[in-house]
Amino acid sequence: MNQAKVEELSGRAREMRRMIIEMLAASKSGHPGGSLSAVEIVSTLYFAAMNIDPADPHKPDRDRFVLSKGHAAPVLYAALAEKGFFPREELLTLRKTGSQLQGHPDMKKTPGVDMSTGSLGQGISAAVGMALAGKLDKKDYRVYALLGDGECEEGMVWEAAMAASHYKLDNLTAFLDYNGLQIDGPVQEVMNPTPLAEKWQAFGWEVIKIDGHDFGAIWGALEMAGETKGKPTMIIARTVKGKGVSFMENQVGWHGNAPNAEQAAQALAELGGGKS
Amino acid sequence: MTKIATRTAYGQTLVKLGEENPNIVVLDADLSKSTKTADFAKKFPERFFNAGIAEANLMGMSAGLAAAGKIPFASTFAVFATGRAFEQVRNSIAYPKLNVKVAATHAGITVGEDGGSHQSVEDVSLMRSLPNMTVIVPADAVETDKAVRAAAEHQGPVYIRLGRLDLPVILPEDYEFKLGKAVVLREGWDAAVFANGTMLALALEAAEELAREGVETAVINVSTVKPLDTATVAEVARQAGAVVSAEEHSIIGGLGSAIAEALVENCPVPMERVGLMDTFGESGSPWELMEKYGLTAAGIAAAVRRVHRRKTNG
Ligand SMILES: Cc1ncc(C[n+]2csc(CCOP(=O)(O)OP(=O)(O)O)c2C)c(N)n1
Ligand SMILES: [Mg+2]
């Protein structure tokens, strides 16, 4: 990935972080921590990797993205707004009665959302199904999914992992947002899901470990995944929960609490940028 | 008026039960701050088990603990407790009649902003369909305390449905809660409302409004949905001659269905069900959603007027 692209993505990522803070402050509820940790992953997918068209959200040959950790809906909505699936102003209706932006992704309400998620563990199975359909139809679209590290405690994740390698789904690439935290504390203290790389490998996946905030590394891993034949790829991305907002970084308490007006102002000041 | 969520009352009572009974153990699935089992975890760390984000295993481990003599309270959101882990509850808890208390929070649409994926509108229906299962839907903090205690004393599986939202306390401290007993809170001979959970306070409000119009409406707290107090339900229905059920749940399979089943066999009278009309919920603030889906005192009053008219018009 060239320097110009990295710079473009950095700008997009900053804009998306601003949107996340703004929409959460407006809704007064929602999940900042796991949204902010996934900004580089999601922005690389939507602005470098995925073949999608905001003018035709249901295009049959499009690449798919399943946010298996559905509570991070704000990062997905930010990407969709930035990409042009709906006007940015709509973000401020997040979680309000009648909004098309539900607390968790809703494929029937929001253009660009490929799968309804929110119950952890279920998204990755749906992604496996989409990849199976791609093979069946001999299409070359790719399916991407994003999982949480806490989410990997769900047995269903491993049922999906087994199926994906069983069916040799090399058109499926998943990211694991390895931020080390879930709700009740650090993942290793609540219910230790590690070692994660070895587990995914043992389930037949190609595993790549990267820094999840490094665009070059994310892009490099996606290229490798594209070249891997006969098995799915898991990109284990080391991330910082709450990334980009100093008082939210690595704080378990910012999993599911929205910033108040004052905190939002501080966060936006730290993030900088912003279209006036 | 003090407002307190039933989940908060649950957390407080669990701590007291923990002190009284060393056999009580508590399990959660990475939601202990939300379900309020964190209070117990802090006080009795050795008797608290976090399953992580793994609801199927949460229920399976609870079954094992019960089989070995413990009294497990297993908590998570109602959607996951009764939906994700349904078959574990069925085959590992209800079928072997093990002494597990499934105490599920964040039931109904008053979950609010998290939206339809997190709002269980079918949990009572699912749990009620299981043989051996007792199902309780407390209306406020006072009743929750008594219901949780009764559940601990009862031998066998119990489902307790709890809410996220702070609610007014409507029942007196000395309210007498008995498992399996429906309680007439307000007398009335023109019509009767059977309600539970969040809808009980609204039913009392509706009865007040109806009384001003000259429609005397009985209000019955049916917090134990199963086993249903069929005798009381039928007797009230016979006297009132027109009934309405009110629940923050789908009209399919919950309290309304239970009442309808009992009455059609024992004392058929004009009836309407207030609840979610076979629909999922959505994001929004809790009371806005209650308004949008007609789960209001006005909604109950309107239903009472309709059944009352059906009764008087023969
Ligand atoms: C099946 C299920 N159980 C519980 C929850 C509640 N919940 C929402 S987010 C979360 C923690 C997720 O942790 P992790 O996967 O690490 O996400 P991240 O740190 O990226 O936010 C939990 C338990 C849920 N959404 N789905
Ligand atoms: Mg995490």
Side-chain angles (χ1 to χ4, degrees):
Chain A
M1 177 174 281
N2 64 36
Q3 196 50 37
K5 189 69 190 175
V6 171
E7 263 158 41
E8 182 213 317
L9 290 178
S10 304
R12 304 249 187 225
R14 180 158 72 178
E15 238 8 81
M16 282 167 57
R17 284 203 164 85
R18 294 187 64 87
M19 293 182 200
I20 290 168
I21 297 300
E22 284 165 1
M23 74 178 103
L24 288 171
S27 70
K28 300 189 176 71
S29 81
H31 300 81
S35 298
L36 292 168
S37 62
V39 167
E40 281 75 17
I41 295 167
V42 175
S43 54
T44 307
L45 284 172
Y46 277 82
F47 295 98
M50 284 171 67
N51 167 25
I52 43 172
D53 179 3
D56 187 8
H58 295 288
K59 190 173 66 168
D61 289 344
R62 74 188 186 284
D63 291 338
R64 269 83 170 161
F65 175 66
V66 178
L67 183 65
S68 198
K69 40 169 269 186
H71 58 280
V75 70
L76 174 57
Y77 297 158
L80 293 174
E82 177 78 2
K83 191 86 186 171
F85 280 88
F86 48 79
R88 183 172 173 162
E89 300 80 68
E90 271 212 43
L91 295 174
L92 300 182
T93 68
L94 174 71
R95 291 177 161 245
K96 299 208 164 103
T97 312
S99 172
Q100 65 172 357
L101 302 180
Q102 294 292 295
H104 294 78
D106 184 328
M107 67 186 288
K108 290 186 70 193
K109 288 207 164 94
T110 315
V113 169
D114 289 317
M115 182 65 206
S116 299
T117 53
S119 180
L120 293 168
Q122 301 198 23
I124 183 67
S125 284
V128 170
M130 291 175 187
L132 273 174
K135 292 279 182 196
L136 205 55
D137 292 342
K138 302 200 164 36
K139 302 240 175 185
D140 56 10
Y141 67 75
R142 297 194 64 79
V143 180
Y144 299 97
L146 175 60
L147 290 154
D149 45 5
E151 184 179 12
C152 289
E153 292 158 4
E154 283 286 359
M156 185 175 186
V157 168
W158 302 101
E159 297 173 23
M162 195 161 21
S165 69
H166 179 82
Y167 288 113
K168 304 186 171 43
L169 299 179
D170 49 21
N171 53 347
L172 173 65
T173 302
F175 283 90
L176 204 165
D177 186 349
Y178 194 4
N179 57 30
L181 297 176
Q182 52 193 110
I183 297 183
D184 279 346
V187 291
Q188 303 213 26
E189 284 170 28
V190 177
M191 178 50 62
N192 189 358
T194 66
L196 284 161
E198 289 82 345
K199 281 199 179 82
W200 285 96
Q201 252 152 12
F203 275 77
W205 289 52
E206 184 68 24
V207 174
I208 305 169
K209 293 203 257 186
I210 59 163
D211 170 353
H213 300 302
D214 177 338
F215 292 111
I218 297 167
W219 181 248
L222 283 169
E223 281 189 322
M224 281 171 68
E227 285 153 19
T228 300
K229 295 290 163 233
K231 56 176 164 173
T233 297
M234 170 55 78
I235 301 170
I236 299 186
R238 249 296 169 194
T239 57
V240 172
K241 201 156 173 168
K243 174 77 174 177
V245 177
S246 62
F247 57 92
M248 290 184 179
E249 287 192 357
N250 288 316
Q251 296 301 313
V252 78
W254 283 104
H255 170 83
N257 281 323
N260 62 29
E262 199 181 312
Q263 292 162 329
Q266 189 190 330
L268 292 173
E270 281 185 17
L271 289 167
K275 296 166 186 161
S276 54
Chain B
M1 202 188 279
T2 35
K3 282 190 166 186
I4 174 170
T6 52
R7 60 173 167 147
T8 305
Y10 164 61
Q12 292 167 354
T13 301
L14 262 191
V15 172
K16 291 181 213 142
L17 280 177
E19 281 160 7
E20 294 161 20
N21 188 342
N23 260 338
I24 298 223
V25 296
V26 176
L27 296 90
D28 206 295
D30 195 32
L31 287 168
S32 70
K33 288 174 211 158
S34 299
T35 63
K36 304 296 175 189
T37 63
D39 302 344
F40 184 97
K42 206 166 159 210
K43 190 93 193 266
F44 307 103
E46 73 291 349
R47 279 195 270 152
F48 174 80
F49 303 98
N50 202 327
I53 311 170
E55 295 77 13
N57 191 44
L58 170 81
M59 295 307 172
M61 289 199 295
S62 298
L65 282 156
K70 301 296 174 197
I71 307 173
F73 277 78
S75 287
T76 177
F77 291 174
V79 164
F80 310 131
T82 67
R84 186 56 153 276
F86 176 75
E87 203 253 346
Q88 284 76 14
V89 172
R90 181 197 190 275
N91 271 328
S92 292
I93 295 173
Y95 180 53
K97 205 174 180 187
L98 284 167
N99 202 18
V100 176
K101 319 303 166 184
V102 177
T105 68
H106 294 62
I109 58 171
T110 49
V111 161
E113 291 80 359
D114 269 353
S117 61
H118 283 55
Q119 298 165 350
S120 68
V121 298
E122 68 288 338
D123 53 312
V124 173
S125 177
L126 287 167
M127 292 296 105
R128 196 172 75 86
S129 69
L130 291 175
N132 294 334
M133 186 62 85
T134 293
V135 179
I136 315 175
V137 185
D140 69 1
V142 166
E143 188 171 37
T144 300
D145 172 63
K146 295 173 196 285
V148 170
R149 288 172 180 281
E153 269 156 41
H154 175 81
Q155 266 295 325
V158 179
Y159 177 67
I160 310 171
R161 183 185 215 232
L162 303 164
R164 163 179 178 252
L165 200 63
D166 286 338
L167 295 174
V169 173
I170 53 170
L171 298 168
E173 274 303 328
D174 62 356
Y175 178 77
E176 212 175 309
F177 174 89
K178 263 184 82 188
L179 252 189
K181 192 87 195 90
V183 177
V184 179
L185 294 180
R186 181 185 175 117
E187 305 276 352
W189 43 89
D190 294 323
V193 179
F194 298 101
N196 65 20
T198 40
M199 296 304 281
L200 185 63
L202 303 179
L204 289 165
E205 224 178 278
E208 205 56 46
E209 184 185 322
L210 290 159
R212 285 195 290 272
E213 301 167 12
V215 181
E216 292 299 335
T217 309
V219 176
I220 301 90
N221 180 13
V222 194
S223 47
T224 310
V225 181
K226 189 186 178 189
L228 186 71
D229 184 353
T230 307
T232 302
V233 168
E235 191 188 310
V236 169
R238 201 166 293 120
Q239 285 170 8
V243 307
V244 166
S245 61
E247 60 195 314
E248 188 195 338
H249 184 278
S250 169
I251 56 160
I252 299 174
L255 174 68
S257 290
I259 301 281
E261 289 158 15
L263 292 184
V264 86
E265 285 176 351
N266 293 284
C267 176
V269 295
M271 174 174 178
E272 278 205 23
R273 292 167 293 163
V274 172
L276 287 149
M277 300 310 210
D278 195 15
T279 176
F280 288 111
E282 62 180 295
S283 288
S285 76
W287 291 115
E288 259 176 49
L289 293 178
M290 292 290 269
E291 189 80 42
K292 178 163 180 176
Y293 290 95
L295 305 187
T296 57
I300 296 170
V304 169
R305 284 184 205 108
R306 286 192 298 267
V307 287
H308 184 241
R309 225 173 293 133
R310 279 164 64 195
K311 165 182 143 182
T312 45
N313 296 347

